[in-house]
């Protein structure tokens, strides 16, 4: 068997909840020049890995979608992954795509498709069954993308950023603001609750503004408790980030939450994200900053 030059083989296994964006994902990997296989049964994974190894450098970037439907499929997949852990020629990454149940139900209704695990029942029944089946696999994933609030274009951009050649080894710090009343971001690694800080929402002329406006930002920052929070949080993150990077984590999601995701969390996310941008590849996002605008339109 020829081993070729396979020490730098990329293998990405794309899986997750039905309706969470696997089709968009595999198309994005095709754009990146990956050899792509859609819906490969896990029972065929060992044979496919042999083919990859025999091909030498011809298949050094591979993305596979695995749409798992039964317990026996998981057994084959986990055995293959355990066997790969003992090899040096390839290190697989699992990309797990997730979304909130309510979002998945809406997507099924919009497309008029039935859920594969509940072909004649309610979509929510199939979604809950699938989520339970996928629980262990999600725990093994190196990357989890929650697509609940992503448009297809945004998922594509996220994948291109994460897996493009000049980005693959970069440790990315994602700092996100959110509102607790809109739900916790399930892809967050660290969550900080800043609802204890004075709220600009109760100042009438600031209410329609956000933490991106100078007046609101300065209001949030002027309090002693804000400065103390930033001092302690920056100190904690300064200690933790190098350790996450050293462990091989490709990205860390830091979520800063206030009540609505408009004022306090936005201002603090801006501060913390910009504080670390000289030392790390940093992305700042404001998940819920448009929510109020969406309700009024």
């Amino acid at each position: 068997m020829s081993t070729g030059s396979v020490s730098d083989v990329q293998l990405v296994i794309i899986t997750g909840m039905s309706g969470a964006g696997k089709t968009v994902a595999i198309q994005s990997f095709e754009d990146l020049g990956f050899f792509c296989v859609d819906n490969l049964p896990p029972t065929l994974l060992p044979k496919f890995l042999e083919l990859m190894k025999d091909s030498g450098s011809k298949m050094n970037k591979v993305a596979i979608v695995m749409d798992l439907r039964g317990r026996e499929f998981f057994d084959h997949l986990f055995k293959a992954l355990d066997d790969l852990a003992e090899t040096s020629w390839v290190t697989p990454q699992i990309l797990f795509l997730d979304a909130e149940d309510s979002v998945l139900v809406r997507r099924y209704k919009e497309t008029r498709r039935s859920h594969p695990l509940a072909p004649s029942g309610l979509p929510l029944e199939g979604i809950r069954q699938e989520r339970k089946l996928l629980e262990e696999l999600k725990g093994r994933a190196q990357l989890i993308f929650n697509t609940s609030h992503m448009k297809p274009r945004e998922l594509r951009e996220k994948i291109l950023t994460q897996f493009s050649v000049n980005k693959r080894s970069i440790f990315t710090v994602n700092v996100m603001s959110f509102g607790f009343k809109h739900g916790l971001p399930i892809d967050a690694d660290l969550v900080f609750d800043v609802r204890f800080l004075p709220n600009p929402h109760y100042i009438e002329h600031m209410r329609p503004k956000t933490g991106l406006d100078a007046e609101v930002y300065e209001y949030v920052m002027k309090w002693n408790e804000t400065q103390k929070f930033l001092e302690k949080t920056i100190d904690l993150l300064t200690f933790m980030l190098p350790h996450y990077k050293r462990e091989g984590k490709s990205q860390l999601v830091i979520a800063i939450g206030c009540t609505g995701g408009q004022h306090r969390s936005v201002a603090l996310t801006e501060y913390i994200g910009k504080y670390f941008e000289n030392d790390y590849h940093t992305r700042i996002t404001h998940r819920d900053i448009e929510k109020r605008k969406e309700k009024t339109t």
Side-chain angles (χ1 to χ4, degrees):
M1 179 180 289
S2 171
T3 59
S5 177
V6 290
S7 59
D8 194 31
V9 172
Q10 279 185 280
L11 172 61
V12 181
I13 297 173
I14 306 163
T15 188
M17 298 296 294
S18 299
K22 292 192 287 291
T23 299
V24 173
I26 197 68
Q27 292 170 349
S28 303
F29 279 99
E30 287 179 346
D31 292 342
L32 286 170
F34 278 69
F35 182 91
C36 296
V37 181
D38 196 1
N39 203 14
L40 180 75
T43 51
L44 299 181
L45 182 59
K47 291 293 184 183
F48 185 79
L49 292 172
E50 289 182 16
L51 177 63
M52 286 176 59
K53 194 170 185 180
D54 287 342
S55 74
S57 60
K58 295 178 182 178
M59 294 176 66
N60 61 359
K61 292 168 61 179
V62 178
I64 302 171
V65 171
M66 288 192 173
D67 207 1
L68 306 180
R69 306 294 189 209
R71 178 68 250 176
E72 68 279 4
F73 280 5
F74 289 91
D75 294 337
H76 288 291
L77 175 59
F78 292 154
K79 184 180 185 306
L81 292 174
D82 291 340
D83 291 342
L84 278 176
E86 305 298 322
T87 70
S88 60
W89 67 275
V90 61
T91 301
Q93 280 186 294
I94 298 176
L95 169 59
F96 191 99
L97 299 177
D98 202 352
E100 298 166 6
D101 288 357
S102 59
V103 174
L104 294 173
V105 169
R106 188 184 73 236
R107 290 175 182 173
Y108 272 102
K109 286 184 176 180
E110 288 173 351
T111 60
R112 299 184 180 180
R113 293 168 50 209
S114 59
H115 192 280
L117 295 185
S120 59
L122 297 173
L124 187 57
E125 295 175 357
I127 290 167
R128 287 173 173 168
Q129 184 180 346
E130 184 178 34
R131 192 175 295 284
K132 187 174 182 180
L133 276 172
L134 290 170
E135 187 175 18
E136 184 178 351
L137 183 58
K138 183 178 180 180
R140 291 197 178 207
Q142 287 78 27
L143 292 168
I144 301 173
F145 290 173
N146 185 336
T147 67
S148 297
H149 305 284
M150 286 187 195
K151 297 177 181 177
R153 172 182 55 80
E154 293 170 329
L155 175 58
R156 183 183 299 274
E157 289 175 355
K158 191 175 181 71
I159 290 173
L160 295 180
T161 298
Q162 180 69 40
F163 289 94
S164 59
V165 173
N166 60 343
K167 296 284 186 183
R168 17 180 318 208
S169 62
I170 294 178
F171 172 63
T172 302
V173 178
N174 294 280
V175 190
M176 171 201 303
S177 69
F178 74 97
F180 277 94
K181 72 178 184 179
H182 303 298
L184 281 166
I186 65 173
D187 50 352
D189 297 294
L190 301 171
V191 176
F192 295 94
D193 183 350
V194 298
R195 288 176 291 183
F196 66 94
L197 297 175
N199 192 351
H201 174 81
Y202 296 111
I203 300 176
E204 188 173 351
H205 73 276
M206 289 190 191
R207 188 172 301 169
K209 299 182 178 181
T210 74
L212 297 178
D213 293 295
E215 184 181 13
V216 175
Y217 182 89
E218 291 167 6
Y219 177 88
V220 173
M221 292 296 167
K222 75 177 183 178
W223 304 99
N224 288 335
E225 49 262 58
T226 302
Q227 294 304 313
K228 198 68 176 178
F229 169 80
L230 286 172
E231 176 188 340
K232 291 180 178 295
T233 303
I234 293 294
D235 184 55
L236 176 65
L237 294 174
T238 299
F239 167 75
M240 296 175 72
L241 291 178
H243 292 281
Y244 278 115
K245 184 177 181 180
R246 192 175 302 123
E247 283 298 308
K249 194 172 181 66
S250 61
Q251 65 170 333
L252 185 77
V253 180
I254 302 168
I256 314 292
C258 62
T259 303
Q262 305 288 320
H263 301 109
R264 295 165 290 180
S265 62
V266 172
L268 292 170
T269 293
E270 288 288 318
Y271 182 94
I272 292 171
K274 289 174 181 176
Y275 183 92
F276 288 104
E277 67 183 2
N278 290 330
D279 298 315
Y280 299 95
H281 180 246
T282 304
R283 297 178 68 245
I284 297 172
T285 56
H286 302 295
R287 191 192 75 177
D288 299 325
I289 200 169
E290 299 291 331
K291 285 288 195 301
R292 183 177 54 213
K293 186 185 298 184
E294 292 172 0
K295 288 182 180 179
T296 58
T297 56

